[in-house]
Amino acid sequence: MTVLDADYRSMSEYPETERLASLFDEGPDAILVVDEDSRIRRANDRVRDLFGYEPEELVGSSVGVLVPNDVDDHASLVDAYFEDSESRPMGAGLELQARRKDGSTFPVDISLSPVESESGESAAAIAAVRDVSEQQSLRRKYRTLLDTAPDAAFVVAVDDGEVLEANRAAAALVGEPEDDLVGRHYSDVFPEGPNGRYVDLFSLDPGERVRSSRFENGDDILVVTDDGDRVPVEVSAQRVNVVDDGVVLAMLRDVSERREYERELNRQIDRLERVAQVLSHDLRNPLNVAEGNVELAMETGDTDRLRAVESAHDRMREIIEEALTMVRTGSDIETVDAIDVGEFAAQCWANVATDSASLDIVAPGIVYADEERFSHLFENLYRNAIEHGGENVTVRVGVTDSGFFVEDDGPGIPPEDRESVFELGWTTEDVGSGLGLNIVADIAAAHDWTPTVTDSDSGGARFEFSGARAAPYDESFTVRDDGGENGGQSEREDPQR
């Protein structure tokens, strides 16, 4: 037995259709039974609220009375449905309109289901019509919000996680067109997929909001771009109801600059804390020496004691200067200049008390660096060589294709200590502050150089800096007066050659 027979008798006459009849009479949607000739055979009471017609007025009428006048292909759509009838939404992807008795129109969603005759052929279709005016109004509101929002915005379906809408900022953040984002599961833009902790960000109760840029364990919330990059974001999400459909409106803000600022701030705080530790420890000894000798000089009148006070003051001055240099050299480099290493290294040598030590520029060339911090690097390496290699040490400097080096012929650094030499406070000498090589490491990091320690040919310490933009001189290399590079013989002589 079927829902409708040839005479279209009442649906309730057939026991197997009692449940369907109940839905027909009590459902929230306006329901119409339409035959192959586009005639309305039944209509429930909801048509009164939706269309302004009494159900009896519609029975026997063409369904076209409910179609706006500007729709001219409705009859062909009805024919096409009965040729291949199945349960499906009408006009999927289209914005459908219906017409009220007073001629006004309103947006609708229509779901179609076939009703078979006794012969098994489709005799009619049940059309469930729902007014989506409120839904469209809310969609327009959040579409306006999406279009005007400076942050990446996604509208996500609660039931299946599908991205319903995405704005231009979202496309720019992920690196894909807006249309490619719509229709996918929202977790595609996150690194852990649909089963990870990112799901909780969008598992919200009605009206619930969440705003976070980190998980509880401190990990950043990340978006994966089309290029595979991971961008830290702050997520602001709220679940809202659009008529009967729940959606999550999520705004994602790129916080890369904020994270970099936080990292730099933490580096500065860490650097200041380390300097405070060094100063509180290393200044105490020369200060005690100075105080003790001043007291003895006052008690005995032995002015020779003041020479020890002077030495202690010099040592304190050196520690303070190194500490200040450490604080100032940690920030990122904004600009670099082409520096003639031979000439520059000699200038830095003149700024250090070198006693009988000597400097040899074994491989001159150009290195691009921040001049002030480059000088601090050389001077600290020179002092380190003299402190550990003695007053007669020879220091050699050279430029390579991948960077530059500074080496000496002193006792060298044991292999087991080479990974820790750049740590704050590392020194093998009682007079050392342990700041010098840490300053060198900070300067290298600010330039994106990689410092390593190995043996020189003479068995001393060799500090290599790779990743620098460098060019060693050869017979075809020239440095112009304006700092540029030409072919030909070198126009500057190395002052140490």
Side-chain angles (χ1 to χ4, degrees), residues 339-341 363-366 399 471-475 477-479 490 492:
I339 297 176
D340 184 326
V341 170
I366 291 291
V399 178
Y473 288 166
D474 57 28
E475 293 183 354
F477 198 91
T478 298
V479 179
S490 172
R492 297 184 184 176

Side-chain angles (χ1 to χ4, degrees), residues 178-237:
E178 295 173 56
D179 292 343
D180 289 355
L181 295 175
V182 174
R184 293 163 53 183
H185 196 273
Y186 72 87
S187 63
D188 287 353
V189 302
F190 296 117
E192 296 181 7
N195 298 319
R197 53 188 169 169
Y198 286 82
V199 173
D200 294 337
L201 295 174
F202 294 86
S203 300
L204 305 176
D205 295 327
E208 183 181 1
R209 298 185 180 188
V210 63
R211 181 175 181 177
S212 180
S213 61
R214 288 189 172 96
F215 292 105
E216 291 184 357
N217 66 350
D219 288 349
D220 281 331
I221 297 174
L222 303 171
V223 163
V224 180
T225 69
D226 186 49
D227 296 331
D229 296 332
R230 298 194 173 197
V231 179
V233 295
E234 179 181 73
V235 174
S236 298

Side-chain angles (χ1 to χ4, degrees), residues 124-142:
I126 296 177
V129 184
R130 176 173 298 185
D131 184 350
V132 294
S133 299
E134 182 181 353
Q135 183 177 4
Q136 287 202 358
S137 175
L138 288 173
R139 282 178 175 169
R140 281 194 297 271
K141 288 180 180 179
Y142 71 61

Side-chain angles (χ1 to χ4, degrees), residues 283-447:
L283 283 178
R284 186 174 292 112
N285 184 54
L287 181 61
N288 290 338
V289 170
E291 289 176 343
N293 281 280
V294 167
E295 290 178 1
L296 289 172
M298 293 178 64
E299 292 174 359
T300 65
D302 184 2
T303 58
D304 288 342
R305 294 281 182 178
L306 297 181
R307 293 191 181 91
V309 174
E310 183 180 16
S311 296
H313 286 167
D314 290 341
R315 180 61 189 144
M316 285 188 285
R317 186 178 299 108
E318 179 184 340
I319 293 173
I320 292 171
E321 288 177 354
E322 287 184 343
L324 291 175
T325 299
M326 181 178 175
V327 173
R328 294 166 180 164
T329 57
S331 58
D332 292 337
I333 300 295
E334 294 184 359
T335 60
V336 295
D337 297 310
I339 297 176
D340 184 326
V341 170
E343 179 180 325
F344 189 78
Q347 293 173 355
C348 296
W349 183 261
N351 296 333
V352 178
T354 56
D355 296 325
S356 301
S358 59
L359 175 67
D360 185 9
I361 308 300
V362 296
I366 291 291
V367 170
Y368 287 82
D370 176 270
E371 184 172 318
E372 179 179 359
R373 280 186 260 196
F374 203 30
S375 67
H376 291 313
L377 181 143
F378 276 116
E379 290 168 10
N380 277 281
L381 288 175
Y382 294 161
R383 292 190 188 100
N384 180 76
I386 294 167
E387 285 178 1
H388 296 85
E391 60 182 16
N392 295 316
V393 70
T394 296
V395 177
R396 289 179 289 272
V397 174
V399 178
T400 67
D401 290 330
S402 60
F404 64 98
F405 64 88
V406 178
E407 64 179 23
D408 61 57
D409 60 359
I413 298 174
E416 62 270 19
D417 291 335
R418 290 173 186 173
E419 291 187 3
S420 56
V421 294
F422 295 113
E423 295 178 2
L424 182 68
W426 186 91
T427 181
T428 60
E429 302 293 327
D430 292 338
V431 297
S433 67
L435 289 177
L437 293 182
N438 187 257
I439 292 172
V440 169
D442 281 346
I443 295 171
H447 284 86

Side-chain angles (χ1 to χ4, degrees), residues 217-263:
N217 66 350
D219 288 349
D220 281 331
I221 297 174
L222 303 171
V223 163
V224 180
T225 69
D226 186 49
D227 296 331
D229 296 332
R230 298 194 173 197
V231 179
V233 295
E234 179 181 73
V235 174
S236 298
Q238 179 182 7
R239 177 171 170 175
V240 297
N241 285 332
V242 182
V243 188
D244 295 331
D245 300 325
V247 299
V248 172
L249 178 59
M251 311 292 285
L252 276 61
R253 175 171 295 178
D254 184 345
V255 294
S256 300
E257 292 186 2
R258 184 196 305 176
R259 290 290 180 267
E260 181 55 37
Y261 173 78
E262 290 172 353
R263 284 191 291 270

